Amino acid sequence: MATLADVLEARTVEAAAELVEPISKDRLRCFACGHECPLPEGALGVCKVRFNRGGTLHVPWGYVGGVQCDPIEKKPFFHARSGALAFSFGMLGCDLHCSYCQNWVTSQALRDPEAVSPPLDVTPADLVDEAVRLGSQVVVSTYNEPLITSEWAVAIFKEARKKGLLTAYVSNGNGTPRVLNYIRPWVDLYKVDLKSFDDRHYRQLGGRIDPILYTIRALHEMGIWLELVTLLIPGFNDSADELQRLTAFVASVSPDIPWHVTAFHKDYRMNDPENTTPEMLMRAAAIGEANGLRFVYAGNLPGQVGDLENTRCHHCRAVLVERYGYYIQRYRLTANGTCPDCGTTIPGRWGTRFGGQITASPFVPGSRRFRVI
Ligand code: SF4
């Protein structure tokens, strides 16, 4: 019987020329993520989904490990098309190995035998047609790390653009100049998980902090709409000093970047820390606000974090978008994305109007177009 690795090996194409370079006669370097793996003949990258076979870098293609319709607030994007349906797909594999991963079924499928998710054979056109049929405004590459499967994401995003949809990455931000330039023309929104501000913590997760900080700066300079999330894990990344340095860095890139601080719950292999409390989130949020961040949100604990689910005008403090979890209770931005009370422009990629919310909770589309492999 074919293993999952066999199944995925058959679903590959040659890497985009921008994302690979020969190092020597039979060694290649991959540039799809910050590891920049040197790959001898036959070797798999750290991500376990890109590999050198016969001097060609093979990369994932033609399947998804999961599809789901999410409210855009779940990604989370709070400053883009409020209430929109975000048609979300992922492949398999990741370049990090976070023990608390909340998408481990897709991200760790090739490392962890318990993490099995049946892939589905799809075409970019079928995927986007389904997104349109369901009324989605945004197509999102998520669930596994999108940077490592950028060729496939770009193919889908090209179809999505033809249909007038926005496109987004939900990513750990472990990027390189080459991969960001490669996706730049096709990505509208980008969420980076800023997991810590300590390189030692990133090394525990299998990465380094420098490529993540580079990605955040570069995305902002490129004009791609960026929101950041920090999953607050008690005892891991919640010291006042670390949050102070982290939020000062974000503010130095731009005080207009929304920062979401979200609650950890025991998951996957990380069961030691206690769950994050509302008070911990509010303390972290206060540090971000004191450092000048204009849009700070607290997530995963609906109704328990005071005003930290709402968007306020940073000039006159009027409430502009009122939320309960992913549910939009009130929307007051003008068609131009300004505050109706004082006229201040609120940074983001707002729609010209709030057209209602198709769903405030995720659901799986029941399309027959996708064939289980
Ligand atoms: S995507 Fe990253 S981990 Fe995978 S082969 Fe390329 S550089 Fe290595």
Side-chain angles (χ1 to χ4, degrees):
M1 198 179 125
T3 64
L4 180 59
D6 295 336
V7 167
L8 298 186
E9 192 178 317
R11 286 162 178 79
T12 57
V13 293
E14 192 171 342
E18 297 89 328
L19 301 183
V20 61
E21 199 172 87
I23 304 174
S24 60
K25 188 166 159 284
D26 56 1
R27 281 161 67 90
L28 304 170
R29 188 177 301 285
C30 173
F31 293 93
C33 87
H35 291 314
E36 299 194 357
C37 296
L39 298 169
E41 165 62 31
L44 284 167
V46 171
C47 59
K48 308 245 183 277
V49 294
R50 298 169 78 93
F51 57 92
N52 178 356
R53 175 74 42 83
T56 298
L57 181 61
H58 292 253
V59 305
W61 189 266
Y63 77 90
V64 290
V67 184
Q68 184 169 287
C69 290
D70 289 333
I72 195 168
E73 288 71 24
K74 180 173 180 285
K75 306 323 299 177
F77 290 111
F78 275 20
H79 286 230
R81 303 285 176 101
S82 297
L85 196 68
F87 188 88
S88 304
F89 67 90
M91 298 189 94
L92 296 175
C94 190
D95 53 334
L96 301 184
H97 46 77
C98 309
S99 54
Y100 54 82
C101 182
Q102 294 172 348
N103 290 320
W104 65 278
V105 170
T106 45
S107 68
Q108 300 301 323
L110 290 145
R111 286 200 181 89
D112 185 336
E114 288 175 36
V116 174
S117 166
L120 306 168
D121 272 330
V122 291
T123 66
D126 280 349
L127 211 59
V128 171
D129 284 350
E130 183 67 359
V132 171
R133 187 181 72 80
L134 291 162
S136 313
Q137 292 184 45
V138 188
V139 174
V140 187
S141 185
T142 177
Y143 306 133
N144 77 318
E145 172 48 47
L147 288 168
I148 67 172
T149 48
S150 282
E151 288 90 347
W152 178 238
V154 163
I156 293 167
F157 290 174
K158 286 179 177 175
E159 292 295 323
R161 283 279 180 81
K162 285 184 205 162
K163 301 285 167 81
L165 305 183
L166 292 184
T167 61
Y169 262 28
V170 169
S171 163
N172 61 31
N174 189 24
T176 65
R178 289 196 189 207
V179 76
L180 297 185
N181 279 323
Y182 174 69
I183 65 170
R184 177 182 190 168
W186 305 107
V187 178
D188 298 300
L189 318 173
Y190 202 117
K191 190 211 84 175
V192 172
D193 259 319
L194 182 52
K195 297 170 191 287
S196 168
F197 208 69
D198 186 329
D199 191 55
R200 285 170 309 159
H201 290 162
Y202 264 102
R203 286 177 192 268
Q204 284 173 16
L205 309 177
R208 294 178 296 123
I209 195 169
D210 285 348
I212 285 94
L213 302 188
Y214 163 76
T215 297
I216 290 169
R217 286 193 197 96
L219 290 169
H220 180 70
E221 278 167 21
M222 287 175 174
I224 294 174
W225 179 252
L226 174 64
E227 303 200 17
L228 302 180
V229 175
T230 300
L231 179 70
L232 197 69
I233 303 174
F236 178 69
N237 60 3
D238 68 334
S239 74
D241 171 62
E242 184 164 345
L243 293 169
Q244 166 69 27
R245 289 183 291 115
L246 184 152
T247 54
F249 164 76
V250 178
S252 76
V253 179
S254 169
D256 287 343
I257 298 173
W259 181 54
H260 303 253
V261 59
T262 58
F264 164 80
H265 57 269
K266 297 182 183 199
D267 207 336
Y268 193 36
R269 287 179 175 157
M270 195 179 254
N271 281 311
D272 288 342
E274 287 309 308
N275 288 346
T276 312
T277 63
E279 293 70 32
M280 291 172 182
L281 290 185
M282 290 191 274
R283 182 182 60 91
I287 294 172
E289 287 170 344
N291 267 325
L293 295 180
R294 289 171 164 163
F295 305 102
V296 177
Y297 300 103
N300 290 0
L301 295 173
Q304 300 175 60
V305 289
D307 194 39
L308 289 167
E309 295 183 272
N310 300 331
T311 299
R312 282 183 180 271
C313 172
H314 54 284
H315 181 67
C316 73
R317 304 303 299 161
V319 176
L320 302 176
V321 186
E322 209 173 304
R323 303 181 183 85
Y324 179 90
Y326 308 141
Y327 180 60
I328 306 292
Q329 295 176 305
R330 201 157 63 111
Y331 184 89
R332 296 186 60 235
L333 280 150
T334 68
N336 300 325
T338 60
C339 172
D341 295 350
C342 71
T344 299
T345 297
I346 310 300
R349 300 287 183 273
W350 309 100
T352 50
R353 66 186 183 90
F354 176 63
Q357 195 167 19
I358 294 177
T359 184
S361 51
F363 66 89
V364 176
S367 175
R368 291 198 209 104
R369 289 169 187 265
F370 312 145
R371 191 176 65 81
V372 175
I373 295 169

